[in-house]
Amino acid sequence: MDGDMIKRVSLACAVLLTVTGVARSQDCKNPQNPENQLEMNFCAAEAFRRADDSLQSLNQEIRVRVTADPMFRAMLESSHSSWVAYRDAQCLFVLGPDAAGSSEPWARFTCMERLTQLRLEEMRALLECEEGSFLCRVPPVKQ
């Protein structure tokens, strides 16, 4: 990455962390009909937080299932961190180089929530496939 891109990604991450912290302390009073841009931003941040919490929980469930195999667990960790980097970079790309203004947090969180929901579908499928499938190596729950 060149220096300008690193600065842009760093700034985006700082804004994201700031808005996420503020959003967690606010209420999303009416997610179906927000009253203003700030509430839209809070609601989008809350929707993303819920999706991200679900993904973290699902990853923990998978981590428990693959705990007996250190290589498999490392592969899961690598896959997850690479996916998070992809999600964040993809949303930066989708918003474009001129993304700014009061609606930028809403657009970013909406993009991140959408991609996180798609990832949840992918990861849930890993828990529901038939044992022995070559496309799904996550072991079943031990009884």
Side-chain angles (χ1 to χ4, degrees):
M1 262 195 238
D2 66 5
D4 188 46
M5 182 61 148
I6 291 171
K7 287 178 190 175
R8 289 177 50 100
V9 170
S10 296
L11 177 61
C13 289
V15 168
L16 179 64
L17 290 173
T18 301
V19 173
T20 302
V22 171
R24 285 181 185 229
S25 68
Q26 301 292 321
D27 288 331
C28 177
K29 294 174 180 73
N30 188 1
Q32 301 307 316
N33 191 21
E35 293 181 16
N36 54 48
Q37 187 62 55
L38 186 59
E39 191 173 346
M40 288 174 68
N41 294 347
F42 289 143
C43 291
E46 179 62 22
F48 166 67
R49 185 195 61 76
R50 282 192 310 271
D52 192 53
D53 287 351
S54 294
L55 183 58
Q56 296 306 324
S57 178
L58 189 58
N59 272 330
Q60 181 58 33
E61 182 178 346
I62 294 171
R63 196 174 293 119
V64 166
R65 290 191 190 189
V66 301
T67 215
D69 185 338
M71 169 122 7
F72 205 13
R73 185 174 175 150
M75 293 167 88
L76 172 65
E77 306 276 337
S78 175
S79 171
H80 182 68
S81 63
S82 295
W83 180 83
V84 168
Y86 158 77
R87 178 200 62 204
D88 294 347
Q90 178 66 11
C91 289
L92 279 174
F93 170 71
V94 167
L95 295 176
D98 299 322
S102 62
S103 65
E104 189 274 339
W106 171 84
R108 183 177 312 281
F109 284 122
T110 298
C111 177
M112 293 170 66
E113 190 261 341
R114 182 181 62 80
L115 292 178
T116 302
Q117 291 293 349
L118 292 172
R119 180 65 171 178
L120 276 164
E121 288 178 30
E122 285 181 336
M123 299 304 282
R124 283 183 186 123
L126 293 176
L127 299 178
E128 298 168 359
C129 57
E130 293 181 30
E131 187 175 352
S133 169
F134 286 103
L135 299 176
C136 179
R137 296 302 206 162
V138 176
V141 177
K142 291 183 181 180
Q143 311 239 347

